[in-house]
Amino acid sequence: MVPKKQQIAVIGAGLMGHGIALTLARAGQYVALTDPHEDTLKSAPKRISDSLKVLGADEDEIARALKMIELCSSVGAAVRQADFVFEAAPEKLDLKRRIFTDIEQHAPAQTVLASNTSVIQITKIMEGLKHPERALGTHWWNPPHMIPLVEVIKTEWTDAEVADRMFALLSDAGKTPVTVEKDVPGFIGNRLQHALWREAVSLVERGICDAEAVDTVVKSCFGRRLAVLGPLENADLVGTDLTLDIHENVLFDLESRQGPSPYLRQLVEEGKLGMKSGEGFRKWTEAEAEAVRARVGTHLRKLEGILD
């Protein structure tokens, strides 16, 4: 079934915005793309082309996708005929609120409004709108054109039909949407991910092992099956009774403090910001950092069937 052509506005042409735009354009949707920074907007077609090449698209497919994307100089111009709007601005609450105030002044009454954010509660972003029933969250994962998941987050005001329309659009574009029924910080994915990270940091902070050991255990053990066996599937596989026995004997000792690790805060205060500064939990040469980036990219392309 060929998806219905609809008008999509993407607000923000950076790392996330250009990936969202190319994903929807590649799926045959019309996209109006805007960004307040002229250089970012002008460079979007080349970055979209480069990202499509990474996905294995040929020149004809790239040309077709680019023809579906119009660069717009303002939010008003981008959203005036939009069926859906995706805001992909930086993770700053006040900025996102201002953008949606602007969007609501120019978008048609039936337009679905979506904010792309990793952790900010959608309720806080949309609470000032005149019609919050048409607003929701869509958490695309980076890189958005390669990671299938999009979390669709409802607020207490979101109309069920609006969520269904978004779900259908994303599914037609080849994404894997899931519904987040309650708007909580971090939604589903980041709550799970950072629960793991909190314990990982704690293991190093408490001197139980070093950072390399943590990463090796995850990559060489349960991380290998996570792509095909979710945690609750695994619990059912081994049995809820065994899972309960394990929890009785380990949960009491897991990290549970409310707030970031003092060790993590110390690293940041000392300028040990990870690969970009040459040291974080581990020391990194530029060659080592680039090798990690290349390894991740190769792995994602293999999952997408781009590489043998």
Side-chain angles (χ1 to χ4, degrees):
M1 177 177 169
V2 178
K4 173 188 173 185
K5 282 187 169 60
Q6 300 181 89
Q7 184 72 39
I8 315 294
V10 178
I11 314 303
L15 180 64
M16 298 303 293
H18 97 282
I20 294 171
L22 79 85
T23 298
L24 295 167
R26 195 183 190 197
Q29 306 293 356
Y30 299 111
V31 178
L33 180 63
T34 189
D35 194 285
H37 302 288
E38 186 176 356
D39 290 345
T40 301
L41 186 61
K42 284 184 176 179
S43 68
K46 182 176 187 309
R47 289 183 286 114
I48 288 170
S49 176
D50 290 343
S51 293
L52 284 167
K53 288 176 184 176
V54 170
L55 292 174
D58 60 27
E59 293 300 326
D60 289 341
E61 187 175 1
I62 292 171
R64 283 195 299 271
L66 290 175
K67 283 182 66 175
M68 302 298 289
I69 299 173
E70 176 189 3
L71 302 185
C72 297
S73 59
S74 68
V75 168
V79 307
R80 63 171 177 251
Q81 294 181 314
D83 297 297
F84 294 84
V85 174
F86 292 90
E87 167 270 312
E91 294 281 279
K92 299 181 184 299
L93 177 59
D94 289 343
L95 172 61
K96 289 179 181 289
R97 283 175 169 169
R98 289 197 301 271
I99 290 172
F100 277 102
T101 298
D102 194 9
I103 290 170
E104 198 170 41
Q105 290 176 354
H106 296 95
Q110 74 279 4
T111 305
V112 175
L113 309 183
S115 176
N116 178 65
T117 174
S118 298
V119 292
I120 301 175
Q121 284 183 273
I122 306 304
T123 301
K124 292 181 179 180
I125 297 171
M126 305 299 190
E127 61 187 357
L129 294 183
K130 296 176 183 177
H131 298 286
E133 69 277 0
R134 61 171 172 162
L136 40 64
T138 53
H139 177 207
W140 299 62
W141 288 70
N142 183 35
H145 47 288
M146 296 181 76
I147 303 294
L149 180 69
V150 181
E151 294 172 287
V152 178
I153 306 103
K154 295 179 180 179
T155 72
E156 61 183 288
W157 312 296
T158 305
D159 188 282
E161 183 182 357
V162 167
D164 290 344
R165 287 175 61 194
M166 178 60 73
F167 215 85
L169 175 73
L170 295 169
S171 296
D172 286 342
K175 306 308 287 183
T176 303
V178 298
T179 302
V180 183
E181 297 288 352
K182 293 184 178 180
D183 180 23
V184 294
F187 320 127
I188 302 171
N190 267 323
R191 290 174 79 94
L192 293 170
Q193 178 171 236
H194 286 277
L196 173 61
W197 289 19
R198 177 172 65 178
E199 184 60 30
V201 174
S202 179
L203 287 168
V204 176
E205 180 181 3
R206 294 165 64 189
I208 295 168
C209 61
D210 61 17
E212 185 175 1
V214 169
D215 293 334
T216 298
V217 166
V218 174
K219 291 185 292 184
S220 301
C221 184
F222 62 86
R224 294 200 166 202
R225 62 182 179 235
L226 279 176
V228 294
L229 186 70
L232 298 183
E233 285 179 321
N234 198 358
D236 277 347
L237 179 65
V238 302
T240 55
D241 51 345
L242 175 57
T243 301
L244 176 60
D245 288 341
I246 293 170
H247 282 194
E248 295 278 16
N249 286 281
V250 72
L251 290 188
F252 74 92
D253 198 47
L254 296 184
E255 184 58 66
S256 61
R257 63 186 158 208
Q258 301 298 302
S261 158
Y263 176 53
L264 174 60
R265 196 178 298 279
Q266 179 184 340
L267 289 177
V268 173
E269 290 173 351
E270 293 176 354
K272 297 177 180 177
L273 306 179
M275 293 181 185
K276 61 186 174 184
S277 68
E279 184 176 359
F281 291 102
R282 299 163 64 174
K283 292 183 178 179
W284 299 94
T285 65
E286 183 54 41
E288 289 169 337
E290 186 55 39
V292 170
R293 298 185 189 103
R295 186 175 73 235
V296 172
T298 298
H299 175 68
L300 292 177
R301 289 194 295 276
K302 283 183 177 178
L303 290 176
E304 289 290 300
I306 299 166
L307 298 176
D308 295 331

